[in-house]
Amino acid sequence: MSLRSRLLIALSTTVLGSTAASAALVTVTSYEMNNGNGLTQNGNYNYFDTSYSVPTYANTNGSSLVVPSNGAPKEALLTGGTGKLTDNIIPAQNYSFVPQDYVGWKYQDPTIIFNLEAGKSVSTITLYVASSYAGSLGFMGLVGQPASVDVSITTPGNSTFTPSYTTTFTDYLGDKYNGTEVITLTFDSPIVSSDTFSLTLNRGPLLLDGINYYNNHVAGYGCDAAGCFLDNVNDFKNSAYIPNLEPWILLSEVQFTAAVPEPSTWAMMIIGFAGLGFGMYRRNARRVPATA
């Protein structure tokens, strides 16, 4: 085999290994959060984490409950398991058609704490949320994408720090009409996966649907039959209109992407270059003339 062929093979191996590592997701071993809200908060659906894998919860006053996951009370603490947020299901249509794919919170900036598999480095976090597009056009729903996501990291030694990162917002699959927004958090320096990742989703500004709801059913009109099913007017005024925040956040999926290169990629590079060097040595050795 020629030197050029060996070089191409070595470089191809390195590039392919690096590409695979760049697309690799880091496994979430568990996440902790308060369960979502739903019909009892005047929503049209229950946005509970019905697939959460651990059926034992502590409710808001600290007592223990053992119930099926889809029977967990609103805002009950979910801990030690995984569920909807890591099931690799990303909806490509408006949340009203697939409410079962979301966990949703009303009048809250939810915090979710993630534990990951060890031995990795995390370069990006990607969140898939219900977008603000429909609400911005005035279509009633009172659902908006987070305006920002705060990240806090806790090390195994229990020290906490805020990493440096950039945030980008894009339409899922490049289509603003499918109802899903992608929020990507890219760290300036990779974070080791043995750390604990705490994400807080901050509600975005009140959209046209919320302003219309306030004007039609709150400001001087009281609560008529068309509006009462959506909310208690005082709750809406104090928790949405006055602070200028859209009531609902709906989250479908959270993914952690491994940094590049991973240790396995370095190993492939070393093996590739070692093979290249050995091939060059063999080739040169054959060209040395024998001496008497």
Side-chain angles (χ1 to χ4, degrees):
M1 183 180 293
S2 68
L3 176 61
R4 179 178 298 177
S5 298
R6 294 178 188 276
L7 180 60
L8 288 175
I9 291 173
L11 291 177
S12 298
T13 300
T14 301
V15 171
L16 289 174
S18 178
T19 302
S22 66
L25 297 181
V26 180
T27 301
V28 175
T29 57
S30 67
Y31 61 80
E32 177 180 314
M33 66 180 188
N34 287 333
N35 204 1
N37 300 139
L39 295 173
T40 57
Q41 290 75 45
N42 297 303
N44 289 326
Y45 311 97
N46 282 326
Y47 297 106
F48 299 151
D49 196 340
T50 53
S51 60
Y52 199 76
S53 59
V54 178
T56 302
Y57 309 100
N59 66 15
T60 51
N61 64 15
S63 62
S64 179
L65 299 171
V66 180
V67 292
S69 57
N70 60 2
K74 72 179 182 69
E75 300 178 19
L77 178 64
L78 308 182
T79 182
T82 58
K84 285 185 181 181
L85 302 187
T86 55
D87 61 5
N88 294 318
I89 297 176
I90 303 171
Q93 53 187 320
N94 186 274
Y95 69 89
S96 61
F97 295 104
V98 285
Q100 70 277 3
D101 292 341
Y102 288 94
V103 180
W105 299 269
K106 188 176 187 181
Y107 299 150
Q108 297 183 56
D109 296 332
T111 295
I112 311 162
I113 300 172
F114 291 88
N115 297 297
L116 311 180
E117 63 174 315
K120 302 287 185 179
S121 295
V122 176
S123 61
T124 61
I125 303 175
T126 308
L127 301 91
Y128 298 86
V129 299
S131 77
S132 298
Y133 183 69
S136 68
L137 298 179
F139 294 103
M140 189 60 68
L142 304 180
V143 173
Q145 65 202 40
S148 62
V149 179
D150 295 334
V151 181
S152 178
I153 305 296
T154 302
T155 69
N158 288 325
S159 62
T160 301
F161 67 94
T162 300
S164 179
Y165 59 95
T166 57
T167 305
T168 57
F169 295 81
T170 56
D171 300 319
Y172 181 50
L173 301 177
D175 181 5
K176 67 180 179 181
Y177 300 107
N178 65 27
T180 299
E181 187 77 3
V182 182
I183 305 176
T184 304
L185 313 176
T186 304
F187 295 112
D188 292 353
S189 299
I191 309 296
V192 295
S193 60
S194 56
D195 291 343
T196 299
F197 294 72
S198 177
L199 310 182
T200 299
L201 283 60
N202 302 303
R203 285 189 291 159
L206 196 65
L207 302 172
L208 182 59
D209 64 342
I211 295 172
N212 289 342
Y213 175 68
Y214 179 81
N215 290 333
N216 293 332
H217 303 300
V218 179
Y221 294 93
C223 182
D224 61 18
C228 285
F229 81 98
L230 286 173
D231 215 327
N232 175 285
V233 291
N234 289 325
D235 287 346
F236 181 87
K237 181 178 180 180
N238 295 328
S239 301
Y241 185 77
I242 291 178
N244 188 36
L245 296 171
E246 192 76 353
W248 285 88
I249 285 177
L250 303 183
L251 176 62
S252 174
E253 186 78 12
V254 181
Q255 296 178 339
F256 295 78
T257 303
V260 178
E262 287 291 331
S264 59
T265 303
W266 285 113
M268 293 177 70
M269 291 173 63
I270 293 171
I271 293 171
F273 285 118
L276 179 60
F278 181 73
M280 294 175 65
Y281 167 79
R282 289 285 303 274
R283 183 181 182 187
N284 291 334
R286 286 197 298 268
R287 291 183 176 180
V288 176
T291 57

